[in-house]
Structures are given as structure tokens and as C-alpha cells.
Amino acid sequence: MDGVPESHNGWTFLTNHARVLAAIADNQSARVRDIAARCRLTERAVQKIIADLEQAGYLSHVRQGRGNSYHIDPAKILRHPTEAGQGLTVASLLSLLIHDEDSRAVLPGESTRASG
């Protein structure tokens, strides 16, 4: 992806911090460039978000060769008082955001039986 990603107007359900965290959870060795492309953010914005997440203890990294390997603390309680008061963790958030085709829940209206 070259240059600045297309801008978005209006509100969204997820923060950029949640998007970056989900991208890292999906690929712990992803490059900042790849995270930025996936999240439609600039590399500079992703670097700032990663620094925020590390400073707050949600994320750490280890240098591996020319790249990084990230580690997410799944037991860390979410920051907003509403979620924190309910004891919701990073793991609970990521379970909603990560796409794992083998363990996806069946959506309402979908059948679990094979048609034939």
C-alpha cells in the first residue's frame, strides 16, 4: 500500500487500537507496514498505537532478526470503566475480532447441518 490510506468519515464500532491489536493477534510477527495496510492506517499511526499498547502493558515485543515478534497479554483487563467493571479481558475482545475459519460460530439463520 503506497501513501496515506483512504480516509474514513463518520463513526465506527472499533477503535484503531482494537484494530491494531486484532491484526497483531492474527499474526504476531506482522510488520508495521502490513498492520497499517490491513487497518487502513499510516505506518506512523500504527507505530504510535503499538507504543501506546506497550506502555499500558497490553503488548510487548521481542526483536527477531529484522522484525518483531509481539506478545499480547490476554488476561489484561480492558480500560473503559464499563468493561473493566465487568472484568472483560483482552482475550474476550479478541475472541470477537479474530477470524478463525475452523472455529467460527454459526451465525443466526445459518444451518449447522450439511445440505444434500
Side-chain angles (χ1 to χ4, degrees):
M1 179 175 207
D2 292 334
V4 177
E6 178 183 327
S7 65
H8 176 273
N9 293 323
W11 63 274
T12 64
F13 283 101
L14 300 176
T15 67
N16 289 337
H17 284 66
R19 285 186 185 91
V20 168
L21 194 64
I24 290 171
D26 199 40
N27 180 359
Q28 293 84 16
S29 60
R31 298 178 305 169
V32 168
R33 173 179 296 161
D34 299 329
I35 297 167
R38 177 175 172 168
C39 297
R40 299 181 70 177
L41 299 169
T42 64
E43 290 180 35
R44 188 174 189 90
V46 170
Q47 289 169 337
K48 168 88 170 76
I49 290 168
I50 288 172
D52 289 347
L53 292 169
E54 285 186 318
Q55 184 177 17
Y58 289 90
L59 184 67
S60 60
H61 76 275
V62 175
R63 190 83 174 150
Q64 290 188 331
R66 293 177 51 191
N68 291 317
S69 178
Y70 296 98
H71 173 74
I72 296 170
D73 181 353
K76 187 88 170 157
I77 301 292
L78 298 179
R79 291 171 51 112
H80 192 279
T82 302
E83 288 89 23
Q86 295 176 27
L88 295 177
T89 64
V90 169
S92 61
L93 172 66
L94 293 175
S95 71
L96 297 171
L97 300 178
I98 300 302
H99 299 276
D100 181 3
E101 294 298 323
D102 293 333
S103 63
R104 281 184 49 196
V106 175
L107 297 175
E110 289 184 10
S111 174
T112 57
R113 291 180 278 181
S115 58

